[in-house]
Amino acid sequence: MPRPAATSSEEEQVVEVDVVVEEAVVVAAVDALFDDDVADKQQKKRRKKKKKKRRRAPSEEEVAALRSVLRWARHGEAGDDDDEAAVLTVTRRPRVAVELHAHSACSDGSLSPSSLVHRAHRNGVKVLALTDHDTMAGVAEATESAKHFSIRIIPGVEISAMYSPSDGIGVEEPVHILAYYGSLGPSKPQELNRFLGSIRDGRYTRAKEMLQKLRRLDMPIELEDVCTIAGDGVAPGRLHVARAMVKAGYVDNLRQSFSRYLYDGGPAYATGKEPTGESVVQLICRTGGVAVLAHPWSLKNHVDVIKDLKAAGLHGIEVYRSDGKLSGLSDLADTYDLLKLGGSDYHGRDEKEEPDVGSVDLPVLAVSGFLDVAQPIWHNSTKEILADMTERTPGLNGSKRFQWTRSGKDFCNLCLLSPGLKVTDDSGVEVIQTEFAEIALSSRGP
């Protein structure tokens, strides 16, 4: 039997019901979204509470490490009340502002070594490693400037090298290796200087090749202009070429010059006379330094690089940056039993993206672990330096000006104060006084 046609009133009721259903669906959807938003907010609050709960008081090991690092940073001297109070009242993970990777105008930085020390002091840095590219020319100035502040200088250098896969598979790529020395510097300075000098000479050849490539790209630049930007006695690098490009108006900024032309393998890129990475690590070890691979995250094949350099004697890799710890590299450091270090790689390029001096948050246990490895190496290096001094210095080798000393401390001071020596920082003495404590030179010279 056919259904009777709906009346107008019935049709209106059906429409009203449909509208009500649609409104209910919309309201339910909005409520669901609101509930999701509330749930997200509640979840974020719970995460924040968890983070707050995770903040624990430092362990006894961390507090002891903090005391030890602070004392070392002050050359073994008693600290001021503020430092001691910081140790006793610390309630979070303890930290000492240590900068292990910074550059001055002696290579491709913009600040002089003394200005860099001033900036580090302003930022609360207690320990500063000056690591210019392929030169240690700025260390003396930085050390002298640091005497006016409570900053300890680690003589360092960032050495340019090339890595070739040991299995012959893959391509070569540039690597940079940081060297950290004790306060008296490398134990074989002449060998190190010759090595670095050869690399710097290759920088001039490299700069010429880069300029030739730029000329073929219709961007002519004179080598004299690049050398003027680099400064007197500074071997030109990519950054100096980039600054010349900006000055000539070929690019708008440094970032553009690198991203378009000077990046590794770029149309204006060139290599110099860099030694192998393995030979650099071996040289650092041979001259009394600690060898650390710089910015491994920039490498194409960092796993093989780390494995091969570890076999050559590598001590550590950079893991910490201003944006935190890189977990993958941290795991690699654990795998190969390497120190986990890091630094800002500060150049003073006036770029907002560049981390400032002392901005990398190195855990105090990482710094303490670095010293555990470094101090025995520096200890032996200092003994070698002083032994060499006694052989070469009049007054200590049996001449009429030979002085009789009754303690290790006197012996060390005598070495450092001998005529013709340019050693003004006696902080290196502290690592060998124990070694010489029982020594008494019981015979007088003729």
Side-chain angles (χ1 to χ4, degrees), residues 316-327:
I317 62 174
E318 287 193 314
V319 167
Y320 293 93
R321 306 191 303 188
S322 59
D323 57 357
K325 181 174 73 172
L326 299 179
S327 58

Side-chain angles (χ1 to χ4, degrees), residues 269-286:
Y269 176 76
T271 58
K273 295 181 179 178
E274 290 85 0
T276 65
E278 290 87 347
S279 68
V280 169
V281 170
Q282 291 164 357
L283 173 77
I284 295 170
C285 295
R286 195 163 60 248

Side-chain angles (χ1 to χ4, degrees), residues 146-188:
K147 291 179 180 179
H148 303 290
F149 308 106
S150 55
I151 294 180
R152 179 160 194 157
I153 299 296
I154 297 178
V157 59
E158 183 174 359
I159 304 179
S160 306
M162 288 296 294
Y163 169 76
S164 300
S166 57
D167 56 8
I169 302 174
V171 296
E172 287 188 337
E173 58 179 321
V175 295
H176 288 174
I177 302 167
L178 296 158
Y180 302 111
Y181 292 100
S183 56
L184 296 185
S187 58
K188 297 179 177 65

Side-chain angles (χ1 to χ4, degrees), residues 30-163:
V30 171
D31 287 343
L33 290 173
F34 178 76
D35 290 341
D36 289 343
D37 186 47
V38 171
D40 287 342
K41 289 181 179 179
Q42 290 175 345
Q43 190 174 8
K44 287 179 180 178
K45 286 182 179 179
R46 285 195 293 270
R47 286 175 182 171
K48 287 182 179 179
K49 287 181 180 179
K50 285 182 180 180
K51 285 183 179 180
K52 289 181 179 179
K53 288 180 181 178
R54 286 174 186 170
R55 288 183 181 177
R56 55 171 178 77
S59 65
E60 292 183 4
E61 182 185 14
E62 289 173 321
V63 173
L66 181 59
R67 285 185 183 276
S68 175
V69 170
L70 282 173
R71 188 169 181 80
W72 172 77
R74 296 188 298 256
H75 304 286
E77 299 173 359
D80 55 36
D81 293 338
D82 290 340
D83 279 346
E84 291 302 323
V87 173
L88 295 173
T89 61
V90 65
T91 57
R92 298 179 61 187
R93 179 168 60 84
R95 176 180 183 270
V96 178
V98 174
E99 176 57 77
L100 293 179
H101 193 166
H103 300 273
S104 77
C106 289
S107 63
D108 58 349
S110 64
L111 299 180
S112 67
S114 58
S115 297
L116 179 64
V117 171
H118 277 255
R119 189 177 186 89
H121 172 68
R122 186 202 71 180
N123 293 352
V125 172
K126 299 293 184 184
V127 179
L128 171 65
L130 180 59
T131 55
D132 280 320
H133 291 282
D134 306 314
T135 181
M136 297 183 72
V139 171
E141 181 183 334
T143 301
E144 186 65 28
S145 179
K147 291 179 180 179
H148 303 290
F149 308 106
S150 55
I151 294 180
R152 179 160 194 157
I153 299 296
I154 297 178
V157 59
E158 183 174 359
I159 304 179
S160 306
M162 288 296 294
Y163 169 76

Side-chain angles (χ1 to χ4, degrees), residues 379 407-410 412-413 426 428-439:
H379 180 114
S407 71
K409 183 174 182 180
D410 289 342
C412 297
N413 289 337
D426 64 353
V429 177
E430 67 195 40
V431 298
I432 61 165
Q433 285 183 353
T434 302
E435 182 74 17
F436 285 110
E438 302 301 324
I439 290 179

Side-chain angles (χ1 to χ4, degrees), residues 19 43 46 67 95 102 164 177 212-213 215 225 245 255 262 289 322 338 377 386 391 401:
V19 170
Q43 190 174 8
R46 285 195 293 270
R67 285 185 183 276
R95 176 180 183 270
S164 300
I177 302 167
Q212 288 174 356
K213 291 184 176 182
R215 186 171 287 106
D225 296 333
M245 293 174 68
R255 181 180 293 277
L262 300 176
S322 59
L338 293 165
I377 295 172
L386 291 183
E391 292 176 3
R401 290 189 294 139

Side-chain angles (χ1 to χ4, degrees), residues 283-305:
L283 173 77
I284 295 170
C285 295
R286 195 163 60 248
T287 55
V290 177
V292 175
L293 179 63
H295 35 72
W297 51 83
S298 65
L299 298 173
K300 297 181 181 68
N301 194 8
H302 61 273
V303 176
D304 286 343
V305 172

